[in-house]
Amino acid sequence: MADSDTPPVSRHLPSADLSDLRPGSALLRLKTTKSREGILDGAWWPRSRNIGAELPALVTALAEHLGPVTRVGLDAVGWEGLPTRIVVADRVVHIDSFAVGDDTVLVTREKGDIFSLLVIPPNATPEAAHAAMAQAVRPGNVTRAEQILIDTRGTAP
């Protein structure tokens, strides 16, 4: 089959079965070039607001795609038990507290690139979480995290 006969690959998220969509899932659109478009690079749906319990799994998942993560910036008001650093896979990850809102987490990888992820509230329904994730990773998305949560009824911070 010639390349021109190959059907195009769908870039849309599946919408049929939400049973596998669970809190703690990380859905990411991550580009490592300077031409990244949009405000957000992905979305994260933690199980709770306990950052010590939630952050290691996110850092591990991101490190698989980005390489080592060195810093995570988030809003201290939105999280319980915010440490100044954690150790994941024998690497120290520094935790910075910024006034970014509890609907966003900023992740810095070893090369200095910063990625911005929508944080979906733990109590969001699977349908709202799916809609928010789909909006966050849509190419060229210019809608801010808080507005995505309002629009998808994922709850506003």
Side-chain angles (χ1 to χ4, degrees), residues 29-137:
R29 177 184 60 89
L30 301 171
K31 295 182 182 177
T32 57
T33 65
K34 292 182 180 183
S35 65
R36 290 188 344 230
E37 296 179 8
I39 294 174
L40 298 166
D41 298 299
W44 175 44
W45 189 15
R47 298 179 202 283
S48 71
R49 288 290 181 184
N50 180 335
I51 199 66
E54 302 297 331
L55 197 54
L58 176 65
V59 169
T60 299
L62 289 171
E64 289 177 19
H65 298 285
L66 302 176
V69 172
T70 59
R71 302 191 93 77
V72 174
L74 39 80
D75 190 347
V77 176
W79 298 94
E80 301 166 7
L82 188 64
T84 58
R85 64 184 181 162
I86 62 170
V87 177
V88 178
D90 295 327
R91 296 187 64 94
V92 174
V93 177
H94 296 276
I95 311 297
D96 299 320
S97 177
F98 297 118
V100 295
D102 66 349
D103 53 355
T104 307
V105 62
L106 302 175
V107 178
T108 306
R109 71 179 185 156
E110 196 169 58
K111 295 180 181 182
D113 294 331
I114 298 174
F115 296 86
S116 180
L117 305 177
L118 166 68
V119 178
I120 298 168
N123 62 346
T125 66
E127 293 78 14
H130 183 269
M133 287 179 171
Q135 175 68 20
V137 300

